[in-house]
């Protein structure tokens, strides 16, 4: 009998992408089921609020840290934890969909660990931009800033590809322009907060990190420095 290798029609998702989505949706399902009294008993109704108070990124707390020169771990960890605490089930679903789509493409090119670094540091970058450029009244919650970091890495891939074939590199930024335009329209029609600033900060962080974390990126940078 001749053996044939089976090639799946769709490439399997990188494990790190699956782990991120399971973590995000697992937390959200606990909040949702708890609020309906299905799990956790009476105290579970307040799980989301307690998590927001403990793990959301608070610009007020950040400015307090800067002013007092004190860096308690329970507040610094908010830079990393806020993307995993969604404000609603809908937000968690949208974040997960983007992580599946963008995370898969970035991880397949950059590698799983590099993709995770971009996700985490883009969340940090988005929070810093949010706190430093604005004086926001609302805490930052949900995974859109790191998701926009993945979009930034994907944009870098397009930007790099267009440069190699001699095409107009500005075309690579079409996706972020469309997404920002949609946010602007929704903000004008329905009102909203200034979270888009954090999203844009996450995008810029992801794009910038791609110069270092892309395959051979660090080698290219070192080579360019030596030539200069």
């Amino acid at each position: 009998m001749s053996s044939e290798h089976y090639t799946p029609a769709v490439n399997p998702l990188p494990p790190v992408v699956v782990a991120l989505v399971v973590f995000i949706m697992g937390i959200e399902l606990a909040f949702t089921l708890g609020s309906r009294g299905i799990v956790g008993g009476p105290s579970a109704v307040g799980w989301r609020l307690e998590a927001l108070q403990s793990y959301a990124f608070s610009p007020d707390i950040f400015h307090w840290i800067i002013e007092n020169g004190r860096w308690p771990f329970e507040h610094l960890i908010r830079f990393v934890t806020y993307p995993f605490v969604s404000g609603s089930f809908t937000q968690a679903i949208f974040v997960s969909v983007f992580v599946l789509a963008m995370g898969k493409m970035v991880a397949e090119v950059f590698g799983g660990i590099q993709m995770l670094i971009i996700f985490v540091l883009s969340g940090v970058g988005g929070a810093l931009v949010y706190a430093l450029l604005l004086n926001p009244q609302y805490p930052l919650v949900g995974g859109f800033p790191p998701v926009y970091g993945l979009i930034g890495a994907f944009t870098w891939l397009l930007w790099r590809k267009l440069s190699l074939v001699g095409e107009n590199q500005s075309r690579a930024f079409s996706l972020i322009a469309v997404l920002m335009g949609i946010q602007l329209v929704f903000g004008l029609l329905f009102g909203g907060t200034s979270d888009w600033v954090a999203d844009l900060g996450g995008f810029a962080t992801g794009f910038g990190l791609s110069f270092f974390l892309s395959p051979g990126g660090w080698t290219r940078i070192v080579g360019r420095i030596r030539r200069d």
Side-chain angles (χ1 to χ4, degrees):
M1 295 178 62
S2 61
S3 61
E4 295 183 0
H5 294 286
Y6 171 70
T7 302
V10 179
N11 291 333
L13 288 168
V16 66
V17 175
V18 176
L20 272 177
V21 172
V22 168
F23 194 51
I24 292 169
M25 289 307 303
I27 293 172
E28 179 56 37
L29 285 174
F31 292 158
T32 301
L33 296 177
S35 66
R36 298 180 180 179
I38 298 175
V39 298
S43 63
V45 175
W47 278 354
R48 188 190 301 275
L49 181 59
E50 292 174 4
L52 291 174
Q53 291 174 341
S54 299
Y55 300 113
F57 175 76
S58 170
D60 289 337
I61 292 177
F62 174 73
H63 288 301
W64 177 88
I65 289 174
I66 297 299
E67 291 170 2
N68 291 275
R70 298 173 58 186
W71 307 86
F73 177 78
E74 64 267 25
H75 294 322
L76 291 178
I77 196 65
R78 293 171 182 265
F79 280 101
V80 179
T81 57
Y82 82 86
F84 301 101
V85 182
S86 301
S88 67
F89 184 81
T90 301
Q91 185 185 43
I93 288 291
F94 274 103
V95 167
S96 296
V97 169
F98 273 103
V99 170
L100 287 173
M102 293 296 165
K104 179 179 185 296
M105 288 185 282
V106 173
E108 287 178 344
V109 177
F110 286 58
I113 298 299
Q114 289 85 344
M115 173 266 176
L116 184 60
I117 292 173
I118 290 173
F119 184 89
V120 172
L121 293 186
S122 294
V124 174
L128 284 173
V129 170
Y130 183 67
L132 293 174
L133 294 188
L134 304 175
N135 187 22
Q137 300 177 348
Y138 301 99
L140 191 60
V141 298
F144 279 117
V147 158
Y148 271 81
L150 296 179
I151 295 173
F154 174 71
T155 300
W156 186 91
L157 289 172
L158 295 178
W159 178 80
R160 179 74 176 166
K161 182 178 180 181
L162 289 171
S163 71
L164 294 175
V165 298
E167 297 287 341
N168 184 1
Q169 290 177 271
S170 64
R171 289 167 48 197
F173 297 90
S174 299
L175 177 59
I176 186 63
V178 170
L179 292 173
M180 286 290 109
I182 292 173
Q183 286 209 28
L184 177 61
V185 170
F186 269 80
L188 292 174
L189 292 177
F190 305 108
T193 63
S194 51
D195 290 1
W196 64 270
V197 174
D199 298 341
L200 202 56
F203 173 86
T205 302
F207 188 88
L209 287 172
S210 298
F211 286 94
F212 301 92
L213 297 178
S214 62
W218 181 249
T219 302
R220 286 194 300 270
I221 291 174
V222 171
R224 184 168 298 179
I225 293 174
R226 288 175 176 173
R227 287 196 302 270
D228 294 342

